């Protein structure tokens, strides 16, 4: 394993880059930090278990706030779910997954609770009339 596990190599980046949403052409503000550097900043924060605001600027990943915003944007776009599926498919094709040891839990598959609620049916009978007596 690399001494700097937050560095994204070219092979991994080739899988990730097509999944990222395009940057808006007319986005306000300064030119954004490149996506690859932001991803490395995100991985640095997660690997070192530090607060976003403690991400060292001298590493060139942008500010912690920038990396956090990019993480949020990518999460909302479903990038990490897509990446998970791509990596699983790639590992499965290479015979690197042992499916006999797989498990499913509520964090990946929604667990239904209780018995299903019966569907309400509309009455086909007439409506009650007002008593005129």
């Amino acid at each position: 394993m690399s001494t700097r596990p937050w560095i994204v190599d070219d092979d991994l980046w080739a899988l990730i880059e097509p999944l990222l949403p395009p940057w808006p052409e007319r986005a306000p503000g300064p030119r954004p930090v490149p996506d690859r550097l932001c991803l490395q900043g995100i991985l640095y924060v997660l690997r070192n278990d530090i607060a976003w605001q403690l991400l060292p600027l001298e590493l060139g990943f942008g500010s912690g706030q920038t990396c956090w915003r990019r993480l949020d944007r990518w999460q909302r776009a479903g990038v990490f779910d897509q990446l998970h599926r791509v990596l699983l498919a790639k590992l499965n094709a290479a015979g690197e997954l042992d499916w006999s040891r797989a498990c499913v839990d509520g964090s990946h598959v929604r667990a239904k609770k209780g018995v299903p609620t019966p569907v309400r049916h509309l009455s086909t009978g007439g409506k009650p009339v007002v008593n005129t007596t």
Side-chain angles (χ1 to χ4, degrees):
M1 177 174 252
S2 168
T3 57
R4 299 183 308 164
W6 54 86
I7 301 301
V8 177
D9 67 22
D10 292 338
D11 292 336
L12 181 57
W13 183 244
L15 292 174
I16 296 170
E17 188 177 25
L19 304 176
L20 301 177
W23 195 259
E25 288 291 323
R26 297 179 183 223
R31 184 161 176 74
V33 175
D35 287 335
R36 188 172 183 170
L37 288 176
C38 273
L39 178 58
Q40 292 177 157
I42 292 165
L43 294 174
Y44 182 89
V45 167
L46 297 175
R47 171 75 174 155
N48 292 296
D49 195 25
I50 61 172
W52 291 104
Q53 61 267 30
L54 297 179
L55 179 64
L57 287 173
E58 57 270 13
L59 292 176
F61 301 142
S63 71
Q65 184 68 26
T66 296
C67 292
W68 182 87
R69 283 188 187 128
R70 201 72 56 91
L71 173 64
D72 184 57
R73 181 172 183 259
W74 293 341
Q75 180 63 32
R76 290 176 190 265
V79 169
F80 298 104
D81 289 335
Q82 292 175 52
L83 178 60
H84 187 216
R85 285 192 288 277
V86 166
L87 292 174
L88 282 176
K90 190 171 180 65
L91 289 170
N92 189 46
E96 295 291 324
L97 292 180
D98 179 6
W99 289 107
S100 68
R101 299 189 49 95
C103 68
V104 177
D105 66 16
S107 66
H108 292 87
V109 176
R110 186 169 173 236
K112 303 279 186 181
K113 295 181 181 176
V115 288
T117 307
V119 178
R120 290 186 58 192
H121 296 284
L122 296 175
S123 173
T124 57
K127 297 193 184 309
V129 295
V130 177
N131 187 351
T132 57
T133 58

